[in-house]
Amino acid sequence: MKNNEAVIEIQNLVRTYGKTDAVNGLNLRVERGRCYGFFGRNGAGKTTTIKCLLNLLKPTSGSIRVFGVDPARDEVEIKSRLAYVPDQVSFYPWMTVQDTLAYLASFRKHWNRDLEQQLLKQFGLKTSLKSGTLSKGQKTQVALIAAICPEPELLVLDEPTSGLDPIVRRDFIRTVIGAYQDSDPGNRTILVSTHLISEFEGLIDDFTIIDGGREVLTMSADAARQRFQKVYARFTGPLPQLELQDTVVTRRNGCELELVTLDQPEAVLNRLRQPTMDKLESHALSLEEIFVTTLQDKQR
Ligand code: ATP
């Protein structure tokens, strides 16, 4: 892998199931050291994309490179450098948590035992429990421990927090995922597909929103927060007639106006600075609000 090469590079990916176009011409580029959010509504094509890049599904067409190589040709090399937590995990039901982790560790060149103990303690998982008796959330916890302990270069997480209770979830995202990246800054990359966008807000560097198997928006989180602003304007008289491009008006009430900017917030704010302007406030949308706004705007 060359220095300037992306960790994941997907070009024009198409994957159909019979007549369903699950992924339809998708491009995605994940740079080294970034935490990349992959967002979309149910059925948008996230899991299909992830399975294609892990060579669990064969693309109908398009090109995929992970660490600069083709997952269909160099599957073993790629899999030794990444860990994947699927949306539904299953283990051999007769194995205990201890056995399961030992079994999974046996496939790995490296396994951080201290980290394993620390995570078991943090999750409050009893290692003597049989996998078959674990709750959905506890199974996810085991899968997350198994993904983090090899300290891979790339973590691919598909709905990693589904089934976790809110306390474990918050703890996991802040401390576990954060610590995974911080322990080798700039070298640990995450691709995370999640519906719990707000919980990952502080970690996401870049993101892509897909819909109907196509990319709708790709941006850095900072640039997105800069561009998508919620604006409140109050005037001393009736609302002036203004041409406000690239906005979605969310409330119009007497002399008050609320809107969301989809681009160039400064230009919008300047237009609102009329002689009758009484109050003008703006603040960045959260990533979750950006997700909702983007998809609602697309439906209009
Ligand atoms: P979710 O957020 O609900 O997990 P997703 O974005 O991961 O959704 P996919 O699972 O990739 O979406 O599904 C994309 C589309 O492909 C959907 O229309 C789905 O019905 C279809 N699909 C997925 N798997 C199969 C399959 N095995 N056979 C037929 N169609 C499938």
Side-chain angles (χ1 to χ4, degrees):
M1 185 177 167
K2 297 177 200 110
N3 270 349
N4 61 350
E5 215 152 39
V7 171
I8 298 172
E9 174 96 65
I10 295 178
Q11 284 176 342
N12 216 6
L13 178 68
V14 175
R15 178 55 158 94
T16 56
Y17 297 100
K19 288 193 180 138
T20 307
D21 294 330
V23 181
N24 196 356
L26 184 75
N27 297 306
L28 192 91
R29 185 181 162 90
V30 181
E31 305 283 350
R32 176 169 286 277
R34 310 288 281 180
C35 181
Y36 201 104
F38 192 34
F39 307 140
R41 304 187 61 185
N42 291 127
K46 303 177 298 292
T47 299
T48 303
T49 304
I50 288 174
K51 286 188 172 165
C52 285
L53 71 89
L54 296 164
N55 200 32
L56 297 171
L57 275 179
K58 193 172 162 6
T60 306
S61 63
S63 142
I64 299 181
R65 293 288 175 274
V66 181
F67 305 120
V69 293
D70 181 352
R73 269 194 26 215
D74 298 289
E75 186 176 358
V76 176
E77 189 212 321
I78 291 173
K79 287 203 173 150
S80 68
R81 295 168 67 184
L82 65 76
Y84 165 52
V85 179
D87 51 351
Q88 281 172 11
V89 294
S90 55
F91 302 111
Y92 293 119
W94 62 86
M95 283 190 187
T96 62
V97 169
Q98 185 79 66
D99 295 340
T100 303
L101 289 172
Y103 173 71
L104 295 170
S106 72
F107 293 98
R108 294 288 185 174
K109 276 196 197 121
H110 167 76
W111 189 271
N112 187 331
R113 297 257 161 232
D114 293 341
L115 190 55
E116 179 194 281
Q117 291 310 310
Q118 184 193 315
L119 291 173
L120 282 167
K121 201 165 152 209
Q122 187 170 336
F123 287 144
L125 260 181
K126 280 208 195 90
T127 53
S128 58
L129 286 177
K130 287 241 165 57
S131 292
T133 68
L134 298 178
S135 70
K136 182 174 186 277
Q138 287 170 324
K139 281 188 191 136
T140 304
Q141 292 174 341
V142 175
L144 291 168
I145 295 174
I148 300 234
C149 289
E151 303 187 307
E153 288 169 65
L154 170 63
L155 258 187
V156 180
L157 307 171
D158 193 354
E159 284 294 338
T161 50
S162 67
L164 299 183
D165 72 55
I167 295 169
V168 172
R169 211 158 62 204
R170 195 170 304 174
D171 220 31
F172 164 72
I173 295 167
R174 289 206 192 133
T175 58
V176 181
I177 296 274
Y180 159 76
Q181 275 203 308
D182 290 347
S183 53
D184 193 359
N187 286 316
R188 301 237 172 119
T189 310
I190 300 171
L191 175 69
V192 58
S193 161
T194 182
H195 292 290
L196 297 168
I197 301 175
S198 58
E199 302 200 354
F200 279 87
E201 172 97 32
L203 282 178
I204 302 287
D205 298 307
D206 311 289
F207 66 90
T208 285
I209 298 174
I210 66 164
D211 197 40
R214 293 175 189 270
E215 173 200 345
V216 180
L217 181 72
T218 293
M219 286 194 93
S220 83
D222 287 344
R225 284 185 284 255
Q226 190 82 33
R227 178 161 138 186
F228 291 84
Q229 300 262 328
K230 192 179 273 181
V231 177
Y232 169 81
R234 192 173 67 208
F235 298 86
T236 50
L239 292 179
Q241 291 292 322
L242 295 170
E243 272 283 313
L244 296 167
Q245 278 164 355
D246 295 322
T247 60
V248 178
V249 174
T250 49
R251 196 169 73 95
R252 208 189 281 267
N253 179 20
C255 55
E256 292 176 316
L257 180 67
E258 274 178 19
L259 55 83
V260 170
T261 63
L262 305 175
D263 205 1
Q264 315 225 13
E266 267 316 310
V268 174
L269 292 174
N270 281 339
R271 298 224 68 181
L272 289 167
R273 286 190 184 101
Q274 299 290 314
T276 54
M277 163 63 54
D278 181 32
K279 192 172 180 184
L280 186 60
E281 284 173 351
S282 68
H283 68 263
L285 255 57
S286 66
L287 291 187
E288 183 165 293
E289 290 170 321
I290 291 170
F291 173 78
V292 173
T293 303
T294 301
L295 291 180
Q296 277 177 345
D297 184 50
K298 195 170 164 276
Q299 279 172 2
R300 251 182 275 267

